[in-house]
Amino acid sequence: MADSVIRIDNLTRRFGSRTALDSVSLSLPRGAVYGLVGANGAGKTTLIRHILGLLAAESGAVRVFGLDPVADPVGVLSRIGYLSEENDLPGWMRVDELIRYSRAFYPKWDDAYAEELRVAFALDGSTRIKTLSKGQKARAGLLVALAHRPELLVLDEPSSGLDPIVRRDILGAVIRTIAHDGRTVLFSSHLLDEVEEVADHVTMINSGRIVLSAPLDEIKSSHRLGGQVPSLDEIFHRRIASTIT
Amino acid sequence: MGSRLPASGSRLSPPRAIAWEFTWRHRWGFLAVGVYLAVLAAIKLVIVVRNVPVAFDSEESFALAVVVPITVSFVYLLAVFTYGLSGDLAARQSMYPARMFTLPLSNAALVDWPMLYGTTALVGLWILTRWLSVWPTEFSIPYVWPATLAAALVMWTQALVWMPYGLAGMRVIVSVVVLWVIDAIVLLALHFKAAEWVIVAITAPQIPVAYAIGRVAVARARRGVVPQWRLPSLASLLSRVAPARGEQIEQVEHSSAGRAQSWYEWRCSGKSLAVWVAIILPLELVLLWAAGTSTTLVIVIVLGALVTPVIVAAFAGVSASSMGGSGSARDGYGLSPFIAARPLTDAQLLSAKLRMTIRSTLFAWVIVLLAIPLALYSSGTWQTLRDWSRNVAAIIGVPRTVVLLGVVVAGMMLSTWRQLVQSLHFGLSGNPRLIKGSVFVSLVLASLLGPLAIWIVDTDRVGVVWSVMPVILALLVLAKMLAAGLVAARLVRERPLGDRALIAGALCWTSAVVALFALLAWLADTPHIPRYLVMLLAILSVPLARLSAAPLALARNRHR
């Protein structure tokens, strides 16, 4: 696994008495779409925050592009495009200001691509972020996450609470990102049909533990029942049920 | 004191549920108020049992013993019952908790219960203080009008805080003006020795008016009414005057990540200090027109104006140090993922913050340094100040007078910046309790320092204070250096900053202290002020421990 974009070894994280991540180990090679699935509170966002260096590993190690994201935030974050589930873009900024502000941080920012995305997402540059709808805010966040053509795109529950049109935009962005050679996407969601649509590799997480991590095709073939290929949703429920029992 | 929610099976009524939320959420604050009242009761009991005549050596001594704590308790309860401790006071939206609008309660119930509880708490605070405090025998203590004034103040504050406004920051201005007018009317009535029933007749009718406005405020907020008044922006004004320049401002480009972050910080919180100074300063400087030829009054007013940015910075510093940005962090204090995920080092994030505080200080002081001469010239008091400075120059010489004035202004500017940065470690910690606690402590200190200074002067304790000053300053320096040592050890261990930054910081601090010492020693070249005292002052004046703790707080907040 010399070319792992993300490598996590025995990562454990506790918040008070609650164990959010329990000895999680994961290695994500370059150039694929990884779906991180799990119920609400399973530990998906905690794992992503460790990858971004927003949480420091209590025990275990996290390496992104071979670097420690806490010790070298510039080295790691300048190569990542991140869309947060919190949709926390500053409301006082105008869309144009957001674009110009974000551009300053990324040497590989592509102005033409940013403009292409702005037009495709029907975002008016002079509009303040706080006046945008939830879907438009998600599109604005996606624009700044994609416009520097990141090596790793991290989407944390990107389509949660959004309408099908915005969800289609997000999935389209994932597909466009993969179209560029060697780029990697980490995509967390509890909407399994969405993950099934784009992911090459699925990691299931439950109560802070990884219960399954394998290529999607392998997962489906190994869970085949009487010649029928189950959906990811059915497989997930079966795995969770078996974990509980 | 409240208690935990009853076990399942028993059910709270809506009024009790609202009361429970107040009491349980603020139980520690209520406990502190309760302890204060219990202490008052114990003191009174001892005095009554021993039959000791009660006499204070001055009104200021009495103020320190009773009025200051009751004022602090009053402000705290006011903040609790207006829901002012959660939410953004400067926002246009109502501060009434939006989550309560979805409860199956009428608008009347949403207003009635918090207003009733707030009024009961504040009137109760007055009644208990009136009853339990040891009042000096020479004082005639009223019963009713302070209670009606307290009820009017709390209900007006609730109504104004819950009202949605058309402009950001307007809530603060409207509330300050309305409450100031109510206080001023009562103070005028007291000045003219009005009878108690007259003051009750002034304050009591305000209660139904405030209630009616509170009802309108909550009804509007519940319907989602948030008026949006538009003021022309600086850029649009400039574009009218000089279109090309205005366009440049709209299209501001950031040549580096650090500059982009500085721009972000400036837009988030850089202007608040200057805006507040620009609001308060005219109210102070207008007094110059009433000063006439009184040199003392003119100097006091000018000094008051010079101190304004320092005092405002003590409060603006807390919001300026927060890294959440407007509406971006979950709790409004923690570091938002949007900022935390910027590809910047912690040092770069902090550096942008420090650049903003310097710019903010300079911006506020440009306003002060333009407004004071303008007001002096327009009011005709310029001549009075010029005569005074000539007298000073005749005593200490022209160079010292010029340097003294420069040092006073520079010292005030440095103090303004100091106030902004010394709460950085609170704001950057992202800990709401720490941040709110520091604001509360600032409020308490601000309300204590004035009466304490007057008490020292009026009770002829200046000599005593001066004689123990070296010990006080030495202890403060010891505490500062100990804290700095602890912070330095953590900085070396946790490495949020590189070696070069640490060494450069230490050299800057040492140079600033030595330069300040040299300047002060030259200015105060008198045997009455020993050099070691000047050195202690110089060490205390330049921020060190709390500023050094800022990178640690930021690193902990960013990489929890």
Side-chain angles (χ1 to χ4, degrees):
Chain A
M1 291 284 183
D3 201 24
S4 289
V5 175
I6 298 170
R7 190 184 172 94
I8 297 169
D9 292 313
N10 279 318
L11 178 66
T12 297
R13 177 77 193 199
R14 291 187 186 84
F15 296 111
S17 58
R18 190 175 70 86
T19 303
L21 292 175
D22 191 0
S23 299
V24 168
S25 293
L26 200 60
S27 180
L28 270 59
R30 195 177 295 270
V33 179
Y34 293 87
L36 185 62
V37 300
N40 290 331
K44 303 186 295 292
T45 298
T46 305
L47 186 61
I48 285 176
R49 289 175 77 89
H50 277 92
I51 291 166
L52 296 168
L54 308 187
L55 290 172
E58 280 176 353
S59 68
V62 178
R63 291 289 177 271
V64 182
F65 308 117
L67 303 167
D68 178 351
V70 173
D72 187 1
V74 179
V76 172
L77 293 170
S78 59
R79 296 160 74 181
I80 293 180
Y82 170 55
L83 182 61
S84 151
E85 68 166 324
E86 290 176 39
N87 221 335
D88 62 339
L89 301 175
W92 54 267
M93 275 192 200
R94 296 177 194 281
V95 172
D96 270 353
E97 287 177 326
L98 174 71
I99 293 171
R100 280 197 294 276
Y101 169 73
S102 304
R103 178 170 58 183
F105 296 94
Y106 302 100
K108 291 182 182 169
W109 185 273
D110 185 337
D111 281 322
Y113 186 37
E115 182 58 18
E116 184 192 313
L117 288 168
R118 192 188 66 73
V119 173
F121 291 162
L123 291 167
D124 179 0
S126 62
T127 312
R128 283 199 196 278
I129 306 278
K130 66 182 169 194
T131 61
L132 297 177
S133 67
K134 194 174 177 184
Q136 285 175 313
K137 276 184 195 165
R139 285 184 174 127
L142 194 58
L143 187 160
V144 292
L146 289 172
H148 61 102
R149 299 193 183 277
E151 289 174 56
L152 170 64
L153 179 64
V154 179
L155 305 166
D156 186 8
E157 297 275 7
S159 48
S160 174
L162 298 179
D163 63 57
I165 298 168
V166 184
R167 279 159 63 183
R168 189 199 58 201
D169 281 344
I170 289 169
L171 292 182
V174 173
I175 291 160
R176 271 201 296 274
T177 306
I178 317 158
H180 295 96
D181 288 341
R183 298 188 198 282
T184 313
V185 179
L186 176 63
F187 182 33
S188 96
S189 183
H190 61 273
L191 303 172
L192 301 184
D193 54 337
E194 200 172 81
V195 174
E196 199 169 355
E197 215 172 307
V198 290
D200 306 315
H201 191 112
V202 172
T203 296
M204 289 182 184
I205 187 164
N206 185 49
S207 302
R209 284 173 173 273
I210 289 180
V211 290
L212 180 65
S213 185
L216 182 61
D217 295 339
E218 199 179 293
I219 290 175
K220 286 196 163 184
S221 59
S222 65
H223 287 79
R224 201 183 289 256
L225 207 63
Q228 290 264 323
V229 179
S231 69
L232 197 56
D233 199 37
E234 289 167 323
I235 296 168
F236 180 70
H237 282 101
R238 249 189 263 163
R239 290 301 292 215
I240 299 302
S242 68
T243 313
I244 293 166
T245 52
Chain B
M1 283 291 288
S3 60
R4 283 187 183 280
L5 272 175
S8 57
S10 55
R11 217 173 124 169
L12 287 181
S13 62
R16 280 191 65 199
I18 293 172
W20 172 84
E21 189 190 335
F22 280 124
T23 50
W24 185 247
R25 190 169 175 195
H26 302 286
R27 58 194 181 282
W28 299 113
F30 289 164
L31 180 67
V33 175
V35 168
Y36 160 62
L37 292 171
V39 169
L40 282 187
I43 293 170
K44 182 159 188 176
L45 197 64
V46 170
I47 288 175
V48 167
V49 168
R50 293 190 175 180
N51 202 18
V52 179
V54 177
F56 285 86
D57 53 1
S58 72
E59 289 180 7
E60 287 75 23
S61 302
F62 174 68
L64 270 182
V66 177
V67 178
V68 172
I70 196 181
T71 307
V72 173
S73 308
F74 188 90
V75 171
Y76 172 72
L77 292 177
L78 210 57
V80 166
F81 288 101
T82 52
Y83 296 106
L85 290 173
S86 49
D88 184 358
L89 205 60
R92 290 185 298 117
Q93 290 82 356
S94 167
M95 283 186 76
Y96 198 99
R99 63 187 155 78
M100 293 180 72
F101 292 148
T102 53
L103 293 173
L105 291 173
S106 65
N107 288 344
L110 289 178
V111 174
D112 292 354
W113 295 111
M115 278 198 168
L116 181 68
Y117 297 142
T119 307
T120 308
L122 286 155
V123 171
L125 177 71
W126 164 248
I127 291 170
L128 286 172
T129 311
R130 172 70 185 79
W131 179 45
L132 298 172
S133 280
V134 185
W135 299 94
T137 40
E138 68 271 26
F139 279 23
S140 159
I141 311 299
Y143 284 94
V144 183
W145 76 256
T148 52
L149 176 64
L153 284 178
V154 68
M155 290 176 72
W156 267 112
T157 314
Q158 286 174 315
L160 296 172
V161 165
W162 296 342
M163 183 70 80
Y165 292 88
L167 289 173
M170 203 176 156
R171 173 176 295 110
V172 180
I173 298 167
V174 171
S175 304
V176 167
V177 169
V178 170
L179 299 179
W180 184 82
V181 168
I182 295 169
D183 274 347
I185 293 169
V186 172
L187 287 172
L188 268 178
L190 288 173
H191 179 75
F192 289 108
K193 302 199 184 313
E196 180 156 18
W197 69 266
V198 174
I199 306 178
V200 172
I202 293 168
T203 51
Q206 294 182 41
I207 293 172
V209 177
Y211 173 74
I213 292 174
R215 284 284 297 270
V216 172
V218 169
R220 282 168 66 82
R222 202 175 198 187
R223 288 200 305 271
V225 176
V226 185
Q228 188 160 17
W229 301 342
R230 289 188 184 278
L231 288 181
S233 68
L234 181 65
S236 66
L237 285 175
L238 281 173
S239 64
R240 273 182 223 163
V241 180
R245 176 73 185 133
E247 193 63 21
Q248 270 179 18
I249 287 178
E250 287 288 339
Q251 296 297 322
V252 62
E253 295 292 341
H254 310 294
S255 56
S256 68
R259 281 180 185 274
Q261 192 57 27
S262 295
W263 170 83
Y264 173 89
E265 291 293 350
W266 172 253
R267 288 290 304 272
C268 271
S269 46
K271 286 180 273 188
S272 64
L273 173 66
V275 168
W276 277 109
V277 167
I279 290 169
I280 296 168
L281 215 53
L283 301 174
E284 292 176 322
L285 291 176
V286 78
L287 297 172
L288 284 172
W289 273 263
T293 53
S294 165
T295 308
T296 315
L297 264 181
V298 171
I299 290 170
V300 166
I301 293 165
V302 170
L303 278 178
L306 288 174
V307 169
T308 302
V310 184
I311 295 170
V312 175
F315 298 97
V318 176
S319 68
S321 61
S322 153
M323 288 292 278
S326 55
S328 53
R330 271 173 299 184
D331 54 10
Y333 296 101
L335 199 57
S336 71
F338 177 75
I339 290 301
R342 294 292 95 197
L344 291 170
T345 60
D346 295 348
Q348 284 172 313
L349 281 174
L350 188 61
S351 161
K353 188 67 99 179
L354 288 175
R355 278 201 296 273
M356 178 273 288
T357 59
I358 293 169
R359 201 172 155 196
S360 186
T361 304
L362 291 175
F363 201 52
W365 273 93
V366 165
I367 293 171
V368 173
L369 295 178
L370 285 175
I372 292 178
L374 195 69
L376 284 168
Y377 184 77
S378 314
S379 63
T381 48
W382 179 259
Q383 186 69 36
T384 314
L385 198 69
R386 201 173 61 181
D387 293 344
W388 173 78
S389 50
R390 278 183 180 157
N391 290 339
V392 175
I395 299 166
I396 63 169
V398 175
R400 275 206 167 80
T401 308
V402 173
V403 174
L404 181 68
L405 287 174
V407 165
V408 168
V409 172
M412 294 290 185
M413 287 175 81
L414 181 70
S415 300
T416 307
W417 178 74
R418 194 171 178 262
Q419 293 291 345
L420 284 181
V421 298
Q422 69 182 5
S423 48
L424 265 181
H425 67 296
F426 289 128
L428 294 178
S429 72
N431 183 333
R433 284 185 183 178
L434 204 60
I435 294 167
K436 287 175 183 171
S438 75
V439 174
F440 190 68
V441 169
S442 298
L443 271 174
V444 171
L445 285 178
S447 62
L448 276 177
L449 282 178
L452 185 66
I454 295 167
W455 175 73
I456 289 169
V457 173
D458 287 2
T459 55
D460 294 328
R461 288 186 168 94
V462 177
V464 178
V465 171
W466 183 250
S467 63
V468 294
M469 189 57 80
V471 180
I472 295 171
L473 292 182
L475 286 174
L476 288 174
V477 166
L478 186 68
K480 180 172 183 163
M481 299 319 285
L482 272 175
L486 290 172
V487 171
R490 277 189 54 195
L491 281 171
V492 170
R493 198 171 56 240
E494 296 179 22
R495 296 260 157 214
L497 299 174
D499 289 343
R500 279 181 65 181
L502 285 178
I503 293 167
L507 281 176
C508 279
W509 184 82
T510 312
S511 309
V513 168
V514 171
L516 187 61
F517 168 71
L519 189 68
L520 292 176
W522 178 73
L523 263 179
D525 189 14
T526 157
H528 302 296
I529 304 174
R531 287 284 155 83
Y532 68 85
L533 206 63
V534 178
M535 181 48 112
L536 292 175
L537 269 177
I539 292 173
L540 286 173
S541 300
V542 185
L544 177 64
R546 284 186 277 183
L547 183 57
S548 314
L552 291 168
L554 175 61
R556 186 153 288 193
N557 189 5
R558 192 183 188 192
H559 318 288
R560 284 167 190 258

